[in-house]
């Protein structure tokens, strides 16, 4: 399995993602340019990562312009053929804009950008400390869509308190049902607002991000959950 | 149009300066030329009222790789073939009028100073001053400034790792917004802001030029008055997305080897960058202004010369390599145009459609060349009498210590700044090692070398107001102390000198003496001043701000894994104060805010004692015998203990000192003291090291309860809640009205 990290103009977590994958997780990783569209060196075993940042400045609506970039056309095709795609933060927003994932990410309910550590839990109720950093991270979908997501176990991470309780105070942006991360029905496209790549090094004092990657790249993708 | 002394005055040049210009040119300047002088000889660009004193600061050191003031920012050796590039700069005047854009472009400008030298910015800090937070105006300014810093920094993608904020009435009309950027560059990959080589093309890259920010440099060189809002066009508008692309493209174009010199276009735009690059290379330039990409039609020569449109760079490239450069900027969808060439005549000649619009010898425009340098009068401020009249016995020793402590912990200058820093991306770049384990200075990892930087900004301006000489020494000392308490070695300083009107002799006295104190402390700590910025005219009809010489300091941490942190680690560890104990409440937050004493001397401070303290702290850290170190600053011992307790939610049981007033012991801000915690396992080794140095065992770390002299003061959670919620409470109204505005 190898990784390709897309660089859009305005991406600013691309190098962080690369560093985490290569130096902390010992993975093979290639940087991809938004104007290119050739993904022929990737197979469905591989994973394309859309990193965080402000693609094309995000002056319109987050991810709305990136969705039309040349590389996204190839990535949409790649995902439809079963290729694995991960979007973090701005990457999650782009995946929703591209309709590879259901729902949308709206402006945080307190109208402010927020960057801090918080807690999320996986479907097995394991709690992780993880950073967030976004202004538009309020996940929204209609109830029917949410019910389907939950029925299919597509909601993979929810905001919770330190002990794992799904309380409103633990929800940093007003996301419906405390949703922090989801996958698509075929479980090959995944998006999350928190930044696991920022929590992979002991020098930074938090390695919970490694566990998040492990979940993503083994259990989820292989359909274990 | 006839150009007279009156025209010059309207452009904020004096009659004498107008005469000097005529003398330099040997003729009367035309309007374009006069505008060029107006921008370049403004206080902001020329340092005309400060440079004589700035030259007295220590500006040399073995680690300095460029001379102070020679390039856009300081550059120091951090070993392993890498250098650190850093600078702090003010954006006070624009932020007073338009806080969002003012602060945003301040951040953009300082990052450009870093990457124009070929360095990649890896950390940002800021130092802010506002008026009383109870005031709606302050809430508006604070919300706007924080939003602006966040908007620009978050998108640009450099973490905001540290800062400081104070609230004092004197900043009501004149807030201070100082932004600092720190970057890393590989030795030999730096770029100089120098034009060289006859016939080499001059290229303009980045955003197109508009009419925004025209006259910004001279606007920043005058007091703020009721009419200042009419100067709104003098405020620039920022686009962090453009700057992010510009950063990547500039670093990429340097790799091609085609770049001879590069300078960003900041204050006084095209005229400043062409003049400074030419003067440094002792060359001239022929520039076709009609080739400058513009956003508006029919821009006049003086508008093009002075515009401070953001996200623009001037490059001198090797002749024949224009296409190599263009290709890189094309890749990043940025405009790049050849607008002229380097000449040998030393003249800046600006043309529009072949017509000569302005012609000035580059040297005459710049600092160190033709720009005037002044001595200003100064005299001891009259308010010093009131300061000298203060005596601690005028303040009755209070009984309600817990109540006072609760008020203190909620003062906006002391309380948690989380409402502010949570709006900044502090973790992008994955180098901020302080997020989960804070230290007195922010620890920033240098991936390339495996080491780290310790960075901080510090200035208690009330101390400087009380005693400019001592106050400035304290600012330098606190910065160094923060770095030492983090396990670092201080390397160098960048300063942002925020003062009132230099023509006011009392203000100038503050300036002169602050420079003297700063110089002495920097010499003591061997931390040369690598550069910085002077911002005068932080004044309005009601008076000047406190003298605020903000110190930005960078230190080196050899072993990031062994950095020292400020938080208590384990219940039962002993708590010590290292340093001298004094019966001193001078200038403290307690005295000023809770007792309402406006005038009191600066707190106790002795430079030699400070120096010895820092050496001792370094020794304790190196020997591994302390678990935490946190210096005493605003709010005194009680606040220091609380801050050490908050992270891991540990409390403390403490006894006061029999020879000291309890308010002085708990809330006094006497300098050169550090609180450390020591585990039982290291107690003996600690005692051996500290034996001959002043130290006091004051108590132990508890599981959560706070106890002073046997009296229960509640749980650490209680104090943390007061501390965390205070600023948010003040701002809840502002947030509501902003949110309503968005609907």
């Amino acid at each position: 399995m190898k990784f390709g990290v897309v660089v859009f103009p305005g991406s600013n977590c691309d190098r962080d993602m690369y560093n985490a994958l290569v130096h902390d997780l010992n993975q093979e990783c290639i940087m991809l340019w938004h104007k290119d569209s050739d993904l022929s060196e990737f197979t469905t075993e591989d994973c394309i990562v859309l990193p965080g940042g402000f693609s094309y400045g995000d002056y319109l609506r987050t991810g709305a312009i990136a969705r039309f970039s040349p590389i996204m056309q190839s990535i949409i095709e790649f995902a439809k053929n079963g290729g694995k795609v991960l979007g973090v933060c701005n990457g999650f927003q782009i995946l929703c804009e591209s309709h590879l994932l259901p729902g949308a990410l709206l402006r945080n309910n307190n109208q402010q950008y927020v960057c801090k550590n918080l807690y999320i839990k996986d479907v097995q109720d394991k709690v992780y400390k993880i950073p967030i950093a976004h202004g538009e991270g309020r996940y929204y979908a209609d109830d029917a869509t949410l019910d389907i997501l939950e029925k299919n176990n597509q909601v993979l991470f929810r905001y919770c308190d330190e002990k794992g309780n799904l309380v409103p105070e633990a929800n940093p942006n007003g996301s419906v049902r405390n949703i922090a991360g989801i996958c698509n029905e075929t479980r090959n496209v995944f998006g999350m607002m928190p930044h696991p790549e920022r929590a992979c090094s002991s020098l930074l004092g938090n390695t919970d991000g490694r566990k998040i990657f492990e979940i993503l790249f083994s259990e989820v993708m292989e359909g274990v959950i | 149009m006839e150009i007279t002394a009156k025209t010059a005055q309207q452009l904020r040049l004096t009659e004498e300066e107008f005469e000097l210009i005529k003398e330099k040119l040997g003729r009367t300047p035309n309007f374009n030329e006069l505008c060029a002088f107006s921008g370049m000889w403004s206080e902001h660009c020329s340092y005309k009222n400060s440079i004589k004193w700035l030259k007295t600061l220590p500006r040399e050191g073995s680690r300095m790789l460029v001379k102070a003031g020679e390039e856009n920012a300081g550059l120091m050796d951090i070993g392993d073939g890498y250098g650190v590039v850093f600078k702090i700069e003010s954006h006070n005047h624009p932020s007073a009028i338009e806080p969002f854009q003012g602060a945003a472009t301040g951040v953009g400008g300082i990052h450009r100073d870093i990457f124009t030298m070929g360095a990649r910015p890896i950390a940002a800090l800021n130092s802010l001053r506002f008026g009383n937070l109870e005031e709606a105006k302050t809430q508006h300014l604070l919300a706007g400034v924080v939003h602006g810093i966040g908007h620009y920094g978050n998108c640009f993608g450099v973490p905001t790792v540290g800062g400081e904020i104070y609230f004092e009435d004197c900043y009501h009309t004149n807030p201070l917004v100082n932004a600092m950027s720190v970057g890393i560059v590989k030795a030999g990959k730096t770029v100089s802001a120098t034009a060289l080589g006859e016939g080499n093309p001059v290229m303009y890259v980045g955003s197109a030029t508009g009419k925004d920010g025209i006259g910004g440099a001279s606007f920043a060189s005058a007091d703020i008055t009721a009419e200042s809002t009419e100067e709104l066009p003098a405020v620039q508008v920022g686009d962090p997305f453009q700057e992010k692309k510009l950063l990547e493209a500039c670093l990429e174009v340097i790799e091609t080897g085609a770049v001879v010199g590069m300078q960003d276009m900041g204050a006084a735009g095209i005229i400043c960058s062409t003049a400074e690059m030419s003067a440094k290379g002792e060359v001239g330039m022929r520039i076709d202004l009609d080739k400058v990409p513009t956003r508006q039609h029919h821009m006049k020569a003086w508008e093009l010369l002075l515009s401070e449109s953001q996200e623009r760079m001037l490059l001198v490239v090797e002749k024949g390599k224009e296409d190599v450069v263009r290709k890189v900027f094309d890749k990043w969808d940025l405009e790049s145009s050849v607008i002229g060439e380097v000449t040998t005549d030393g003249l800046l000649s600006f043309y529009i459609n072949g017509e000569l619009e302005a012609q000035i010898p580059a040297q005459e425009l710049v600092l160190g060349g033709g720009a005037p340098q002044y001595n200003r009068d100064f005299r001891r401020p009259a308010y010093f009498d009131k300061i000298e009249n203060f005596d601690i016995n005028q303040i009755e020793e209070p009984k309600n210590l817990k109540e006072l402590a609760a008020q203190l912990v909620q003062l906006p200058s002391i309380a948690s700044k989380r409402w502010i820093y949570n709006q900044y991306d502090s973790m992008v770049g994955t180098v901020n090692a302080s997020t989960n384990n804070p230290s007195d200075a922010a620890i920033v990892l240098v991936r390339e070398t495996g080491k780290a930087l310790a960075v901080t900004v510090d200035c208690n301006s009330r101390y400087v107001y009380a005693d400019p000489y001592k106050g400035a020494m304290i600012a330098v000392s606190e910065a160094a102390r923060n770095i030492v308490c983090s396990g670092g070695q201080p390397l160098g300083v960048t300063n942002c000198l925020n003062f009132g009107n230099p023509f006011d002799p009392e203000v100038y006295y503050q300036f002169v003496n602050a420079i003297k104190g700063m110089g002495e402390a920097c010499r003591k700590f061997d931390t040369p001043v690598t550069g910085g910025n002077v911002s005068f005219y932080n004044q309005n009809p009601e008076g000047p701000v406190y003298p605020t010489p903000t110190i930005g300091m960078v230190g080196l941490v050899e072993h990031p894994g062994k950095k020292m942190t400020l938080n208590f680690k384990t219940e039962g560890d002993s708590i010590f104060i290292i340093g001298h104990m004094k019966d001193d409440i001078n200038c403290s937050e307690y005295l000023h805010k809770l007792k309402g004493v406006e005038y009191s001397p600066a707190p106790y401070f002795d430079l030699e004692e400070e120096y010895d303290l820092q050496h001792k702290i370094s020794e304790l850290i190196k020997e591994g015998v302390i678990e935490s170190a946190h210096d005493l600053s605003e709010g005194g011992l009680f606040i220091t203990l609380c801050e050490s307790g908050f992270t891991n939610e540990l409390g403390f049981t403490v006894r006061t000192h029999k020879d000291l007033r309890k308010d002085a012991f708990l809330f006094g801000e006497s300098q050169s003291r550090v609180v450390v915690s020591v585990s039982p396992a290291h107690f003996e080794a600690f005692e051996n090291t500290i034996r001959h140095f002043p130290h006091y065992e004051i108590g132990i770390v508890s599981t959560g309860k706070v106890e002073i002299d046997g009296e229960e003061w509640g749980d650490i959670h209680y104090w943390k809640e007061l501390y965390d919620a205070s600023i948010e409470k003040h701002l809840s109204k502002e947030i509501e009205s902003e949110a309503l505005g968005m609907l």
Side-chain angles (χ1 to χ4, degrees):
Chain A
M1 182 182 190
K2 67 174 177 291
F3 292 85
V5 174
V6 179
V7 182
F8 296 103
S11 291
N12 62 27
C13 304
D14 46 333
R15 291 148 44 91
D16 300 355
M17 185 61 80
Y18 177 90
N19 284 327
L21 289 170
V22 173
H23 298 125
D24 297 326
L25 296 160
N26 275 322
Q27 300 295 314
E28 187 188 346
C29 184
I30 300 160
M31 300 303 265
L32 302 169
W33 184 239
H34 69 116
K35 289 179 185 171
D36 297 333
S37 51
D38 181 9
L39 295 180
S40 58
E41 60 185 307
F42 294 91
T43 71
T44 51
E45 293 306 305
D46 300 327
C47 180
I48 305 294
V49 184
L50 309 182
F54 291 73
S55 52
Y56 303 89
D58 273 346
Y59 288 124
L60 176 57
R61 199 175 58 237
T62 51
I65 303 289
R67 176 240 181 287
F68 294 103
S69 63
I71 198 150
M72 275 314 295
Q73 309 321 305
S74 306
I75 289 172
I76 291 168
E77 197 59 33
F78 177 75
K80 286 188 173 153
N81 292 331
K84 298 170 176 60
V85 182
L86 164 66
V88 168
C89 200
N90 191 221
F92 187 14
Q93 294 161 341
I94 295 167
L95 290 175
C96 289
E97 284 288 337
S98 307
H99 305 293
L100 287 176
L101 289 172
L105 292 145
L106 310 178
R107 197 161 166 79
N108 297 348
N109 59 350
N110 73 351
Q111 307 293 320
Q112 283 177 358
Y113 184 96
V114 58
C115 171
K116 62 180 183 184
N117 274 316
L118 45 61
Y119 297 92
I120 56 174
K121 68 173 180 179
D122 65 15
V123 290
Q124 293 171 332
D125 284 344
K126 280 191 199 134
V127 177
Y128 308 91
K129 179 167 138 182
I130 205 92
I132 56 160
H134 57 248
E136 298 179 28
R138 173 159 54 107
Y139 184 73
Y140 178 79
D142 59 37
D143 280 334
T145 306
L146 293 170
D147 291 343
I148 293 170
L149 285 177
E150 289 188 339
K151 191 175 130 236
N152 294 340
N153 260 335
Q154 285 172 253
V155 177
L156 298 179
F157 297 109
R158 293 179 202 260
Y159 301 109
C160 62
D161 67 12
E162 203 173 344
K163 298 191 177 78
N165 302 308
L166 295 176
V167 290
E169 308 83 75
N171 185 338
N173 50 32
S175 291
V176 286
R177 304 187 192 181
N178 282 36
I179 289 172
I182 59 169
C183 67
N184 65 350
E185 200 181 344
T186 45
R187 307 187 92 76
N188 62 327
V189 179
F190 180 80
M192 65 189 296
M193 287 314 293
H195 286 272
E197 81 279 11
R198 296 185 179 188
C200 289
S201 153
S202 55
L203 276 177
L204 298 177
N206 184 0
T207 52
D208 279 7
R210 294 179 182 210
K211 299 176 207 160
I212 302 282
F213 278 118
E214 280 162 23
I215 291 173
L216 291 175
F217 302 134
S218 56
E219 298 179 71
V220 174
M221 300 298 190
E222 306 306 327
V224 171
I225 293 175
Chain B
M1 178 178 181
E2 199 197 349
I3 303 298
T4 64
K6 202 172 166 211
T7 329
Q9 263 173 2
Q10 284 166 345
L11 292 168
R12 295 197 172 121
L13 290 163
T14 66
E15 213 171 318
E16 296 74 44
E17 285 167 348
F18 181 61
E19 289 305 315
L20 191 59
I21 291 166
K22 287 201 288 190
E23 195 182 299
K24 302 260 182 207
L25 293 178
R27 60 181 166 84
T28 304
N30 66 26
F31 186 70
N32 296 325
E33 291 161 344
L34 193 62
C35 285
F37 278 101
S38 156
M40 291 303 294
W41 286 12
S42 68
E43 188 69 50
H44 192 81
C45 292
S46 74
Y47 294 82
K48 59 189 171 188
N49 289 312
S50 62
I51 188 66
K52 291 204 167 177
W53 287 100
L54 296 180
K55 283 183 177 165
T56 67
L57 291 168
R59 309 205 293 173
E60 280 167 13
S62 55
R63 284 181 181 267
M64 283 185 72
L65 299 177
V66 296
K67 278 188 184 166
E70 284 281 292
E71 294 289 348
N72 283 284
L75 169 60
M76 295 188 86
D77 187 7
I78 54 166
D80 309 300
Y82 281 83
V84 59
V85 179
F86 61 104
K87 191 184 182 187
I88 190 167
E89 200 162 73
S90 64
H91 238 213
N92 306 336
H93 284 70
S95 303
I97 307 298
E98 213 294 69
F100 176 79
Q101 288 296 349
T105 53
V107 173
I110 196 63
H111 284 314
R112 257 191 326 277
D113 277 336
I114 303 306
F115 71 80
T116 192
M117 289 179 65
R120 178 177 285 278
I122 62 164
L125 299 94
N126 55 69
S127 170
L128 310 177
R129 302 288 184 288
F130 297 96
N132 188 334
L133 193 54
E134 305 286 342
E135 304 268 354
K137 179 187 167 87
T138 301
Q139 294 165 10
H140 161 74
L141 287 174
L142 174 66
V145 165
V146 170
H147 190 197
I149 292 172
H151 164 76
Y152 208 102
N154 298 347
C155 178
F156 185 58
V158 172
T160 302
V161 301
E164 55 164 11
I165 304 186
Y166 292 84
F167 299 90
E168 300 285 356
D169 292 344
C170 65
Y171 301 110
H172 179 79
T173 304
N174 293 90
L176 302 185
V177 176
N178 296 176
M180 176 168 165
S181 176
V182 181
I184 294 295
V185 65
K186 195 167 184 187
K189 292 283 182 188
T190 54
V191 175
S192 173
T194 310
L196 290 172
E198 184 180 10
N200 275 338
V202 177
M203 290 185 82
Y204 170 112
V205 304
S207 297
T209 297
K211 292 187 181 179
D212 54 326
I214 290 175
S218 57
F219 164 61
S221 305
D223 292 359
I224 297 267
T225 64
E227 286 73 45
S228 294
T229 49
E230 288 170 16
E231 305 219 28
L232 205 54
V235 180
Q236 312 86 339
V237 179
D239 180 349
F241 172 59
Q242 282 291 102
E243 176 126 321
K244 169 68 176 166
K245 292 194 299 176
L246 195 59
L247 160 72
E248 300 299 341
C250 285
L251 295 185
E252 215 169 297
V253 81
I254 290 166
E255 291 294 326
T256 67
V259 179
V260 174
M262 179 157 74
Q263 163 131 344
D264 75 304
M265 292 190 233
I270 291 177
I271 186 62
C272 185
S273 52
T274 53
E276 290 186 354
M277 287 186 83
S278 298
K280 202 181 293 171
E282 299 180 344
V283 297
M285 283 184 191
R286 182 211 147 94
I287 303 287
D288 292 308
L289 289 172
D290 49 291
K291 293 189 178 151
V292 171
T294 56
R295 285 181 229 171
Q296 278 146 309
H297 293 300
H298 311 305
M299 282 183 71
K300 298 191 175 69
W302 63 274
E303 293 174 320
L304 289 161
L305 290 176
L306 287 185
S307 163
E308 294 185 8
S309 288
Q310 300 288 292
E311 294 91 27
R312 304 179 301 162
M313 289 277 188
L314 197 72
L315 273 65
V316 173
V317 307
E318 267 181 47
K319 193 170 174 60
K321 294 200 175 162
E322 295 89 334
D323 284 344
V324 177
V325 172
R326 200 171 281 129
K327 207 174 140 197
V328 173
F329 287 95
D330 283 350
K331 175 188 163 188
W332 288 97
D333 300 320
L334 287 165
E335 208 144 1
S336 62
S337 325
V338 174
I339 61 165
E341 61 176 22
V342 176
T343 62
T344 51
D345 58 9
L347 293 173
L348 294 175
S349 307
F350 297 99
Y351 292 84
I352 290 184
N353 299 327
E355 295 272 324
L356 184 65
E357 294 280 343
Q359 191 167 53
I360 310 170
Q363 291 289 351
E364 300 298 358
L365 288 166
V366 301
L367 165 67
Q373 299 185 7
Y374 299 119
N375 286 311
R376 294 285 167 222
D377 296 335
F378 52 93
R379 72 161 178 265
R380 178 185 175 279
Y383 70 83
F384 277 16
D385 291 343
K386 294 188 223 172
I387 284 176
E388 283 162 12
N389 284 336
F390 176 77
D391 182 336
I392 190 170
N393 295 317
Q394 292 159 2
I395 305 296
E396 200 184 328
E397 201 176 334
K399 299 272 184 288
N400 57 337
L401 290 166
K402 186 185 169 191
E403 196 181 304
L404 290 166
Q407 289 171 26
L408 203 58
V409 82
Q410 296 182 77
L411 290 176
S413 291
I414 287 179
S416 168
K417 310 298 184 295
R418 75 173 180 188
W419 184 86
I420 292 149
Y421 65 70
N422 279 352
Q423 295 187 56
Y424 304 148
D425 193 336
S426 57
M427 302 185 226
V428 62
T430 54
V431 291
N432 184 352
S434 291
T435 307
N436 297 293
N437 245 340
S439 304
D440 277 357
I443 306 294
V444 181
L445 303 176
V446 180
R447 216 184 294 280
E448 293 82 350
T449 68
K451 295 176 183 170
L453 300 175
V455 291
T456 182
V457 282
D458 291 287
C459 180
N460 184 313
S461 58
R462 197 186 315 121
Y463 302 169
V464 188
Y465 178 69
D467 185 335
Y469 180 73
K470 202 195 266 187
M473 284 203 292
I474 293 175
V476 175
S477 300
E478 188 183 355
R481 199 189 307 143
N482 283 335
I483 286 170
V484 165
C485 285
S486 310
Q489 175 207 349
L491 295 184
V493 160
T494 178
N495 60 19
C496 196
L497 307 170
N498 309 273
F499 288 81
N501 190 320
F503 291 89
D504 177 338
E506 295 196 351
V507 166
Y508 211 69
Y509 178 97
Q510 296 170 335
F511 176 74
V512 168
N513 285 280
I515 293 289
K516 287 180 182 172
M518 182 182 295
E520 182 166 349
C522 285
R523 272 184 283 271
K524 186 75 201 175
F525 298 114
D526 193 21
T527 50
V529 177
T530 62
N533 159 241
V534 179
S535 171
F536 281 129
Y537 303 98
N538 295 289
Q539 185 151 355
N540 64 73
E542 283 170 27
V545 298
Y546 283 164
T548 315
T550 308
I551 300 296
M553 196 181 279
V554 173
L556 186 63
V557 182
E558 289 281 341
H559 306 288
K562 291 183 183 167
K563 67 173 171 143
M564 182 45 60
T565 52
L566 64 83
N567 45 325
F568 292 147
K569 304 296 185 299
T570 314
E571 175 211 357
D573 286 355
S574 301
I575 305 172
F576 286 83
I577 293 181
I578 313 293
H580 295 271
M581 300 284 263
K582 298 282 169 190
D583 221 3
D584 181 10
I585 56 172
N586 285 348
C587 241
S588 60
E589 280 288 304
Y590 157 71
L591 183 65
H592 187 258
K593 295 289 186 315
L594 303 187
K595 295 291 170 187
V597 175
E598 183 71 34
Y599 299 97
S600 68
Y604 176 82
F605 175 77
D606 181 286
L607 188 58
E608 293 299 326
E609 285 177 15
E610 175 73 40
Y611 184 77
D612 292 343
L613 170 89
Q614 292 188 19
H615 269 253
K616 193 47 83 175
I617 296 294
S618 285
E619 201 181 327
L620 292 169
I621 294 171
K622 201 173 277 176
E623 290 182 5
V625 295
I626 55 175
E627 303 302 310
S628 69
H630 187 16
D631 82 317
L632 272 92
S633 58
E634 288 78 18
L637 175 67
F638 183 76
I639 298 300
T640 306
L641 292 168
C642 281
E643 288 172 350
S644 289
F646 288 154
T647 313
N648 297 334
E649 303 194 330
L650 292 167
F652 45 87
T653 303
V654 162
R655 295 171 303 280
T656 59
H657 194 282
K658 64 177 170 40
D659 299 335
L660 298 180
R661 287 167 58 121
K662 289 194 179 182
D663 55 352
F665 180 85
L666 289 170
F667 312 136
E669 297 179 16
S670 154
Q671 293 295 295
S672 313
R673 297 181 297 159
V674 173
V675 164
V676 303
S677 60
V678 180
S679 73
H682 294 130
F683 200 89
E684 207 180 312
F686 169 78
E687 284 282 0
N688 281 335
T689 305
I690 204 73
R691 191 177 303 145
H692 301 297
F693 199 85
H695 65 288
Y696 305 86
E697 186 172 3
I698 59 166
I700 56 164
V701 176
S702 78
T703 50
K705 89 180 160 180
V706 174
E707 192 182 298
I708 310 287
D709 287 337
E711 189 185 330
E712 298 239 350
W713 278 27
D715 191 88
I716 193 75
H717 291 112
Y718 163 77
W719 295 96
K720 189 169 192 297
E721 262 180 52
L722 292 181
Y723 178 82
D724 280 345
S726 174
I727 287 187
E728 284 156 21
K729 271 188 214 156
H730 280 93
L731 287 162
S732 53
K733 270 188 212 150
E734 173 67 19
I735 296 161
E736 274 168 32
S737 60
E738 295 250 317
L740 282 173
M742 282 173 177
L743 302 174

